[in-house]
Amino acid sequence: MKPKKNIAKKVKKPEAKKTKSPVSEEKKARSYSLVRGMHDILPKEEKYWKKCFHTAEDLASYFQFGRVETPILEETGLFIRSIGKGTDVVDKEMYAFEDSDGSRVCLRPEATASIARSYIMNGMANIPQPVKLWYWGPMFRHDRPQAGRYRQFYQVGYEILGATDPSADAELILIAYNFYKDLGIPVEVHINSIGNKEERERYKEELTNYYRSKRGYLCADCKARLNRNPLRLLDCKEADCQPVKEEAPKIIDWLGTESNNHFTKVLEYLDEIGVPYSLRHTLVRGLDYYNNTVFEIYPASGEGTAQSALGGGGRYDSLLEQVGGRPTPAVGMALGIDRSILAWKQYNEQNKLVVSGPEYDVFFAQLGDDSKRVALRLLDCLRHSGIKVGFNLGKSSLKNQMEIANNFKVPFVIILGQKEVQDKTAIIRDMESGVQEVVDQKKLETVIKKKLGRA
Ligand code: AMP
């Protein structure tokens, strides 16, 4: 029998079924991006965030504020009741939704209302007053995102509850001022008084009458504000509205004796402690609960637009009553961390300043698998004795690791090769002189501490 020709070649292979290979499947997998207005805070940002947190914490501790962490999710009604209908935050910016049990909940747009709720719920009215609380955490506002304006952003806030004295207002402004001073960002304080409710109502009437007479010159937003929230007319940034705004009646002229005295005393305190401020008669703040003192912090070189306010606050003497508590005078402020860091970086860039990153005492270089295993154990021992060790277990070449050590600017490098693992020793290299010494692994901690002057 003739050997069959290799028919395999001739037979047309059945059309290979086009199955997707795992690779192409993987390639096709949908990639995800951020929800609009959100941003990642990456490791390269860490030094800024850490410094902000530590500065905020140090100030809280010095001025004796206790930290409260309220939940991110609260009842929607809490914010509607406190911040008020007719404000941008409540009308347009709340992440409010119905929970699976039908209750109306909301990602907090700010934390003062939450602090008020917590103060009432936890019986803080019954402990010695004033109660000083601080918080740090993310807030959520569904605003139009742009540079320095996100839908999730961090605030640090300080609140003094149960204090009528103007010194409390000044204490908060001093904390805000010191926060930026400690970071090294020059800022200025803008300040105003919006009086009490009655004074404000009378002023609003006057303001509305004035703006009605100028209706023809106003932008569409201002026309809407005229009916909804006349105080916000003073916030308008439209060029066409500026001349009208400049001629507008000033709220300060509508304050009674008590409000005037309070404001004068706050300013006297600021003069005494040397915090620079500028009086801004159009500063009214966006939330309903404020009365008397209101203030905002701006980068010293900034144009003073609302976008660049780094933080702000004021007195809210009727808020606690509004959300079900006893009448409790209070004052507070919140500083925006994301925006403060942007301003800080900008200032540093302009002035060629750098914020230092993490600093290490020594670098640990290892060569080969055995030494890597021992290295991890020794690294842990050194951590327990408070020595900050830089290392990179992903690298195996000594040259690479020495380069990293050089970048870290460490005074000493610990080197562990196969020989040292066998001998239970390690080499310590002095980076300045290049001198190397072999030490017993058991004595590593003590010798390093001695070399670092910590023995
Ligand atoms: P407010 O609670 O509106 O007085 O805001 C206080 C500070 O929080 C502001 O000065 C900003 O630094 C910061 N902040 C408020 N809204 C945003 C936002 N949408 N994105 C980033 N930071 C914000």
Side-chain angles (χ1 to χ4, degrees):
M1 216 170 121
K2 267 169 117 184
K4 272 188 185 166
K5 278 190 183 164
N6 186 357
I7 53 166
K9 272 187 188 166
K10 288 192 175 166
V11 176
K12 209 175 162 203
K13 276 191 190 161
E15 188 99 344
K17 226 178 155 187
K18 278 185 186 149
T19 49
K20 292 168 190 164
S21 77
V23 175
S24 63
E25 193 71 42
E26 203 174 294
K27 265 192 194 153
K28 284 194 108 182
R30 175 185 178 316
S31 62
Y32 295 88
S33 60
L34 284 164
V35 170
R36 194 161 136 77
M38 306 287 160
H39 67 131
D40 293 324
I41 300 163
L42 300 173
K44 64 178 185 203
E45 302 287 304
E46 195 184 350
K47 58 186 178 187
Y48 300 101
W49 285 81
K50 245 188 185 159
K51 177 91 170 104
C52 282
F53 185 81
H54 288 146
T55 306
E57 195 180 36
D58 282 352
L59 285 164
S61 144
Y62 188 79
F63 287 90
Q64 295 145 50
F65 284 70
R67 175 135 178 231
V68 181
E69 275 201 49
T70 59
I72 284 169
L73 209 59
E74 295 267 9
E75 275 187 60
T76 307
L78 172 68
F79 300 107
I80 299 180
R81 186 90 187 101
S82 53
I83 298 171
K85 282 194 175 140
T87 59
D88 284 351
V89 173
V90 165
D91 288 3
K92 303 189 209 151
E93 298 169 6
M94 290 221 288
Y95 275 90
F97 55 95
E98 197 177 287
D99 206 349
S100 50
D101 62 0
S103 51
R104 301 287 309 164
V105 292
C106 170
L107 302 184
R108 61 182 183 193
E110 56 108 45
T112 303
S114 310
I115 294 282
R117 180 208 38 75
S118 178
Y119 174 90
I120 298 165
M121 266 187 67
N122 294 297
M124 288 191 235
N126 304 322
I127 58 178
Q129 306 291 302
V131 175
K132 295 161 88 175
L133 305 171
W134 78 289
Y135 60 84
W136 169 287
M139 309 295 153
F140 302 82
R141 294 184 196 171
H142 200 276
D143 201 353
R144 196 164 37 83
Q146 60 181 55
R149 197 204 281 157
Y150 309 103
R151 290 183 175 173
Q152 174 176 332
F153 56 94
Y154 277 74
Q155 283 186 340
V156 60
Y158 300 81
E159 317 280 347
I160 306 183
L161 302 109
T164 41
D165 202 82
S167 62
D169 311 29
E171 181 177 332
L172 285 176
I173 296 172
L174 177 64
I175 292 175
Y177 185 70
N178 276 333
F179 176 79
Y180 293 105
K181 194 172 169 196
D182 290 357
L183 294 182
I185 318 171
V187 291
E188 59 190 38
V189 179
H190 294 184
I191 192 164
N192 194 17
S193 172
I194 55 169
N196 63 29
K197 198 164 186 313
E198 293 72 44
E199 289 155 358
R200 217 158 39 249
E201 285 311 315
R202 282 201 293 277
Y203 170 72
K204 270 191 212 169
E205 230 178 275
E206 180 72 14
L207 189 70
T208 313
N209 287 340
Y210 166 79
Y211 265 87
R212 284 220 170 98
S213 71
K214 310 279 177 197
R215 206 166 197 285
Y217 303 101
L218 303 180
C219 69
D221 276 351
C222 278
K223 282 181 185 149
R225 285 179 186 129
L226 202 45
N227 300 320
R228 246 186 340 138
N229 195 347
L231 278 187
R232 300 296 290 171
L233 288 162
L234 301 174
D235 263 353
C236 184
K237 301 288 171 311
E238 288 296 322
D240 288 351
C241 296
Q242 297 314 301
V244 183
K245 195 165 114 176
E246 264 150 40
E247 297 297 313
K250 297 181 175 64
I251 195 161
I252 204 95
D253 296 330
W254 296 81
L255 302 189
T257 317
E258 211 175 303
S259 296
N260 247 324
N261 283 346
H262 185 94
F263 193 43
T264 309
K265 281 189 187 144
V266 174
L267 300 182
E268 280 169 6
Y269 274 112
L270 297 183
D271 288 334
E272 177 68 30
I273 54 187
V275 170
Y277 60 86
S278 78
L279 298 172
R280 297 288 163 129
H281 70 87
T282 56
L283 173 58
V284 287
R285 309 275 295 139
L287 318 178
D288 264 6
Y289 53 62
Y290 287 115
N291 64 278
N292 290 92
T293 322
V294 286
F295 59 91
E296 281 179 345
I297 316 291
Y298 284 87
S301 54
E303 297 295 10
T305 65
Q307 241 79 287
S308 64
L310 303 176
R315 209 157 243 292
Y316 51 92
D317 292 336
S318 49
L319 173 65
L320 277 105
E321 221 178 334
Q322 262 172 42
V323 295
R326 289 186 221 150
T328 311
V331 54
M333 63 144 175
L335 310 175
I337 302 302
D338 311 68
R339 209 177 280 176
S340 298
I341 289 177
L342 283 178
W344 191 14
K345 282 182 179 166
Q346 206 176 8
Y347 179 79
N348 284 351
E349 222 164 82
Q350 280 162 5
N351 295 282
K352 299 194 168 41
L353 300 171
V354 279
V355 174
S356 56
E359 280 171 10
Y360 299 102
D361 298 319
V362 291
F363 187 86
F364 202 121
Q366 89 294 327
L367 305 160
D369 281 349
D370 286 344
S371 39
K372 201 178 281 189
R373 186 171 35 78
V374 177
L376 206 51
R377 176 172 54 79
L378 292 177
L379 280 168
D380 198 43
C381 291
L382 293 169
R383 187 185 77 83
H384 284 296
S385 55
I387 298 168
K388 281 197 183 163
V389 191
F391 64 94
N392 186 334
L393 296 182
K395 301 266 182 231
S396 43
S397 110
L398 183 61
K399 188 167 169 264
N400 276 343
Q401 293 181 76
M402 293 309 270
E403 271 168 20
I404 303 174
N406 266 323
N407 287 339
F408 283 170
K409 298 190 172 56
V410 287
F412 304 102
V413 176
I414 301 167
I415 304 168
L416 198 71
Q418 294 295 347
K419 183 172 185 314
E420 287 74 34
V421 171
Q422 271 169 18
D423 300 349
K424 294 193 174 14
T425 57
I427 298 169
I428 300 175
R429 181 185 172 91
D430 183 318
M431 292 297 274
E432 204 184 315
S433 64
V435 173
Q436 300 197 158
E437 124 184 39
V438 177
V439 297
D440 194 311
Q441 282 176 14
K442 282 196 184 122
K443 292 189 185 147
L444 190 58
E445 232 179 277
T446 329
V447 178
I448 289 283
K449 271 189 168 172
K450 207 167 175 183
K451 286 186 181 293
L452 293 170
R454 296 191 199 156

